[in-house]
Amino acid sequence: RFVPGLGTILCMNITLVRGDITEQDVDAVVNAANSSLLGGGGVDGAIHRRGGPEILDECRKLRASHYGGGLPTGQAVATTAGRLPARWVIHTVGPVYSASEDRSDLLASCYRESLRVADELGAASVAFPAVSAGIYGWPMDDAARIAVGTVRAAQTKVADARFVLFDEDAYAAFERAV
Ligand code: AR6
């Protein structure tokens, strides 16, 4: 918003929602994808199931045109959202958790890059899952701390950032992080 004397101030609302990310009425939903971009389980499976085959078609085209070797960990790319209420899906690849190597920067990069892509699209509202905190094994409290800290600190025009948590434990971890 524009404040006389101060210029433009970017304000972001961060909200926590308990629910299913595929049902969110936002401009863009973030997918916890893998580098193949060709689908999988968890959030990825739900998004492709509910969104329909258009999403996979665009993912295949992206692989052929830009990401022959797959989308690198920590990066993000957008496709249509098919039949989802959202307009776009932003696919990002979280790091697999490692107890012996600190991969926090890569996890933070998923959120920063997703917001950068959202800005490019002109998306004002974005729903995030707890990237890496499912099949990729990241401890939920740590994943939540990185997610909230990174989104809060980001320079972005996104006004509504929503974390959509599937179960009570994830919701409680994000509440602690906020
Ligand atoms: N809405 C919101 N959150 C969900 C949903 C949903 N519909 N479904 C699961 N979650 P995950 P990752 C939660 O495994 O750890 C796939 O096979 C889930 O409970 O989806 O980054 C990809 O293709 C957990 O808290 O993502 C990759 O191979 C969080 O979302 C791999 O899994 C993330 O869990 C990525 O694993």
Side-chain angles (χ1 to χ4, degrees):
R1 79 200 153 94
F2 185 78
V3 179
L6 292 175
T8 301
I9 297 182
L10 302 176
C11 340
M12 182 202 270
N13 255 327
I14 295 184
T15 35
L16 306 183
V17 175
R18 168 109 193 257
D20 183 336
I21 198 159
T22 64
E23 292 170 4
Q24 300 302 308
D25 190 7
V26 284
D27 294 331
V29 295
V30 173
N31 181 16
N34 61 65
S35 67
S36 81
L37 292 177
L38 300 179
V43 172
D44 200 9
I47 283 177
H48 283 286
R49 249 191 327 276
R50 295 275 305 252
E54 255 187 276
I55 302 175
L56 196 55
D57 281 353
E58 274 197 28
C59 285
R60 287 209 176 93
K61 285 182 192 147
L62 278 169
R63 280 296 305 273
S65 60
H66 288 82
Y67 301 105
L71 181 66
T73 305
Q75 294 193 20
V77 71
T79 65
T80 173
R83 295 194 291 260
L84 298 181
R87 283 180 70 185
W88 299 286
V89 174
I90 298 173
H91 306 263
T92 191
V93 183
V96 175
Y97 180 72
S98 163
S100 57
E101 185 192 349
D102 184 5
R103 299 178 177 164
S104 309
D105 285 349
L106 284 169
L107 185 54
S109 172
C110 289
Y111 291 96
R112 269 195 302 270
E113 287 297 300
S114 296
L115 287 169
R116 190 184 57 72
V117 171
D119 281 338
E120 274 174 18
L121 295 166
S125 53
V126 178
F128 293 93
V131 178
S132 288
I135 292 164
Y136 282 178
W138 208 290
M140 189 57 82
D141 271 304
D142 201 42
R145 189 183 54 75
I146 293 166
V148 171
T150 306
V151 169
R152 208 178 244 163
Q155 291 283 327
T156 174
K157 284 183 251 161
V158 171
D160 169 15
R162 198 179 294 185
F163 291 105
V164 183
L165 296 322
F166 213 35
D167 58 45
E168 194 50 55
D169 285 355
Y171 188 90
F174 273 74
E175 248 182 349
R176 285 190 288 274
V178 165

